[in-house]
Coordinates of all heavy atoms in Angstrom, one line a residue:
A21 N 3.4 24.3 -16.2 CA 4.0 24.7 -17.5 C 2.9 25.2 -18.4 O 3.2 26.2 -19.1 CB 4.7 23.4 -18.1
G22 N 1.8 24.6 -18.5 CA 0.8 25.1 -19.4 C 0.2 26.4 -19.0 O 0.0 27.3 -19.8
T23 N 0.1 26.6 -17.6 CA -0.4 27.9 -17.2 C 0.6 29.0 -17.4 O 0.2 30.1 -17.8 CB -0.7 27.8 -15.6 OG1 -1.6 26.8 -15.4 CG2 -1.2 29.1 -15.1
A24 N 1.9 28.7 -17.3 CA 2.9 29.8 -17.5 C 2.9 30.2 -18.9 O 3.2 31.4 -19.2 CB 4.3 29.2 -17.1
V25 N 2.6 29.3 -19.8 CA 2.6 29.7 -21.2 C 1.3 30.4 -21.6 O 1.3 31.3 -22.4 CB 2.9 28.4 -22.1 CG1 2.8 28.8 -23.6 CG2 4.2 27.9 -21.8
A26 N 0.2 29.8 -21.1 CA -1.1 30.3 -21.6 C -1.5 31.6 -20.9 O -2.3 32.4 -21.4 CB -2.2 29.2 -21.3
D27 N -1.0 31.9 -19.6 CA -1.5 33.0 -18.9 C -0.7 34.3 -19.1 O -0.7 35.2 -18.3 CB -1.5 32.7 -17.4 CG -2.6 31.6 -17.1 OD1 -3.4 31.4 -18.0 OD2 -2.5 31.1 -16.0
S28 N 0.1 34.3 -20.1 CA 0.9 35.5 -20.4 C 0.0 36.6 -20.7 O -1.0 36.5 -21.5 CB 1.9 35.3 -21.5 OG 1.2 34.9 -22.7
P29 N 0.2 37.8 -20.1 CA -0.8 38.9 -20.3 C -0.8 39.4 -21.7 O 0.2 39.4 -22.4 CB -0.2 40.0 -19.3 CG 1.2 39.7 -19.2 CD 1.3 38.2 -19.2
T30 N -2.0 39.8 -22.2 CA -2.1 40.3 -23.5 C -2.3 41.8 -23.5 O -3.2 42.3 -22.8 CB -3.3 39.7 -24.2 OG1 -3.2 38.3 -24.3 CG2 -3.5 40.2 -25.7
P31 N -1.4 42.6 -24.0 CA -1.5 44.0 -23.9 C -2.8 44.5 -24.7 O -3.1 44.0 -25.7 CB -0.3 44.6 -24.6 CG 0.2 43.4 -25.5 CD -0.3 42.2 -24.8
S32 N -3.4 45.5 -24.1 CA -4.6 46.1 -24.7 C -4.2 47.1 -25.8 O -3.4 47.9 -25.6 CB -5.5 46.7 -23.6 OG -4.8 47.8 -23.0
P33 N -4.8 47.0 -26.9 CA -4.5 47.9 -28.0 C -4.8 49.3 -27.7 O -5.9 49.6 -27.2 CB -5.2 47.4 -29.2 CG -6.4 46.6 -28.6 CD -5.9 46.1 -27.3
S34 N -4.0 50.3 -28.0 CA -4.2 51.7 -27.8 C -4.7 52.3 -29.1 O -4.8 51.6 -30.2 CB -3.0 52.4 -27.4 OG -2.0 52.3 -28.4
A35 N -5.1 53.5 -29.1 CA -5.6 54.2 -30.3 C -4.5 54.3 -31.4 O -4.8 54.1 -32.6 CB -6.1 55.6 -29.9
S36 N -3.3 54.6 -30.9 CA -2.2 54.7 -31.9 C -1.9 53.3 -32.6 O -1.6 53.2 -33.7 CB -0.9 55.2 -31.3 OG -0.5 54.3 -30.2
E37 N -2.0 52.2 -31.8 CA -1.8 50.9 -32.3 C -2.9 50.5 -33.3 O -2.7 49.9 -34.3 CB -1.7 49.9 -31.2 CG -0.5 50.0 -30.3 CD -0.6 49.0 -29.2 OE1 -1.6 48.5 -28.8 OE2 0.5 48.8 -28.5
G38 N -4.1 51.0 -33.0 CA -5.2 50.7 -33.9 C -5.0 51.4 -35.3 O -5.3 50.9 -36.3
A39 N -4.5 52.7 -35.2 CA -4.2 53.4 -36.5 C -3.1 52.7 -37.2 O -3.1 52.6 -38.4 CB -3.8 54.8 -36.2
E40 N -2.1 52.2 -36.5 CA -0.9 51.6 -37.1 C -1.3 50.2 -37.7 O -0.7 49.8 -38.7 CB 0.2 51.4 -36.1 CG 1.5 50.8 -36.6 CD 2.5 50.6 -35.6 OE1 2.2 50.9 -34.4 OE2 3.6 50.0 -35.9
A41 N -2.4 49.6 -37.2 CA -2.8 48.3 -37.6 C -3.6 48.3 -38.9 O -4.0 47.3 -39.4 CB -3.6 47.6 -36.6
A42 N -3.8 49.6 -39.5 CA -4.5 49.7 -40.7 C -3.8 48.9 -41.8 O -2.6 49.0 -41.9 CB -4.7 51.1 -41.1
A43 N -4.5 48.2 -42.7 CA -3.9 47.4 -43.7 C -3.2 48.2 -44.7 O -3.7 49.2 -45.3 CB -5.0 46.5 -44.4
P44 N -1.9 47.9 -45.0 CA -1.2 48.7 -46.0 C -1.8 48.4 -47.4 O -2.3 47.3 -47.7 CB 0.2 48.1 -46.0 CG 0.3 47.4 -44.6 CD -1.1 47.0 -44.3
T45 N -1.8 49.5 -48.2 CA -2.4 49.4 -49.5 C -1.4 49.5 -50.6 O -1.8 49.8 -51.8 CB -3.5 50.5 -49.6 OG1 -2.9 51.8 -49.4 CG2 -4.6 50.2 -48.6
E46 N -0.2 49.4 -50.3 CA 0.9 49.4 -51.4 C 2.0 48.5 -51.0 O 2.2 48.2 -49.8 CB 1.3 50.9 -51.6 CG 2.0 51.5 -50.4 CD 2.5 52.9 -50.6 OE1 2.1 53.5 -51.7 OE2 3.2 53.4 -49.8
A47 N 2.8 48.2 -52.0 CA 4.0 47.4 -51.7 C 5.3 48.1 -52.2 O 5.2 48.9 -53.1 CB 3.8 46.0 -52.4
G48 N 6.4 47.7 -51.6 CA 7.6 48.2 -52.1 C 8.1 47.6 -53.4 O 7.5 46.5 -53.8
T49 N 9.1 48.1 -54.0 CA 9.6 47.6 -55.2 C 11.0 47.0 -55.1 O 11.6 46.6 -56.1 CB 9.6 48.7 -56.3 OG1 10.4 49.8 -55.9 CG2 8.2 49.1 -56.6

Side-chain angles (χ1 to χ4, degrees):
T23 303
V25 175
D27 292 347
S28 57
T30 302
S32 57
S34 62
S36 60
E37 291 173 344
E40 184 183 358
T45 56
E46 61 181 13
T49 56

